[in-house]
Amino acid sequence: MSDTLPSSAQVVIVGGGIVGIATAFELTKIGYTDVVLLERKQLTCGTTWHAAGLVGQLRATSNMTKIAKYTAEVFSGLEELTGQATGLKTKGSISVATDEGRLEELKRGASMARVFGLEVEEVTPDWIKDKYPIMNTDDLLGGIFLPGDGQTNPIDTTLALAKGAEMGGAQIIQGTKVTDISPISGLPLTE
């Protein structure tokens, strides 16, 4: 992490939570090296520090599912890439249905998951009870299980993304509050 504020940068990101840091990380992965991230206090001090850290891959739309799947893939190799622990545990997730409408919705979601190459199982109440004995399954009709889902430590994951961004050339400056933004007219938004 740096203390020196540069006079210019190709990209400036405001906010050192997981979204800002992930943006810096991804920009360096595609070749941007003049990236500066400014954080008013310290990394993860906003909402990131109390996030649940759930890593689910199946979403309501195809594009959101693609993004979530990609994110899970990034998280799975992040610790090895940076040497920073992330706390990632891939134990899977389960969604359950207590009525036919919800069961049909889950089955449609499972079909979409398969299209995107996600491992998914349609499961019965007996399967659920066997895997999660503490769970009351009396009113369940079934569910779906995604074994590739999991949970990560949001703070550690953000720090690993920050390390990866810095490895790619990004400069992260903490303790720098942004109070005004003055766009420079005439500059292209892309190269």
Side-chain angles (χ1 to χ4, degrees), residues 20-32:
I21 294 292
T23 301
F25 176 81
E26 290 298 326
L27 286 171
T28 63
K29 276 181 60 178
I30 62 171
Y32 285 78

Side-chain angles (χ1 to χ4, degrees), residues 6-7 11-12 19 31 41 49 88 94 107 113 121 135 137 142 152 166 170-171 178 190:
S7 60
V11 177
V12 177
V19 173
K41 292 184 180 177
W49 73 269
L88 180 64
I94 188 164
K107 287 180 179 183
E121 298 174 43
M135 192 169 174
T137 59
T152 191
E166 288 181 318
Q171 186 178 0
V178 174
T190 60

Side-chain angles (χ1 to χ4, degrees), residues 55-79:
V55 183
Q57 300 173 85
L58 182 58
R59 298 289 187 264
T61 68
S62 60
N63 284 336
M64 292 303 293
T65 299
K66 287 178 188 177
I67 291 169
K69 181 181 177 189
Y70 174 76
T71 300
E73 290 167 359
V74 168
F75 287 178
S76 71
L78 194 55
E79 187 170 335

Side-chain angles (χ1 to χ4, degrees), residues 77-98:
L78 194 55
E79 187 170 335
E80 183 178 338
L81 174 70
T82 65
Q84 164 71 44
T86 63
L88 180 64
K89 295 181 178 102
T90 306
K91 303 286 186 177
S93 71
I94 188 164
S95 297
V96 297
T98 58

Side-chain angles (χ1 to χ4, degrees), residues 101-114:
R102 175 68 173 151
L103 186 59
E104 184 61 32
E105 178 185 7
L106 292 177
K107 287 180 179 183
R108 279 195 304 271
S111 293
M112 187 170 77
R114 287 185 196 96

Side-chain angles (χ1 to χ4, degrees), residues 110-138:
S111 293
M112 187 170 77
R114 287 185 196 96
V115 168
F116 291 109
L118 295 177
E119 186 179 349
V120 62
E121 298 174 43
E122 293 180 29
V123 295
T124 66
D126 289 339
W127 184 95
I128 296 166
K129 187 66 172 179
D130 184 55
K131 186 134 177 116
Y132 305 99
I134 196 168
M135 192 169 174
N136 179 1
T137 59
D138 294 344

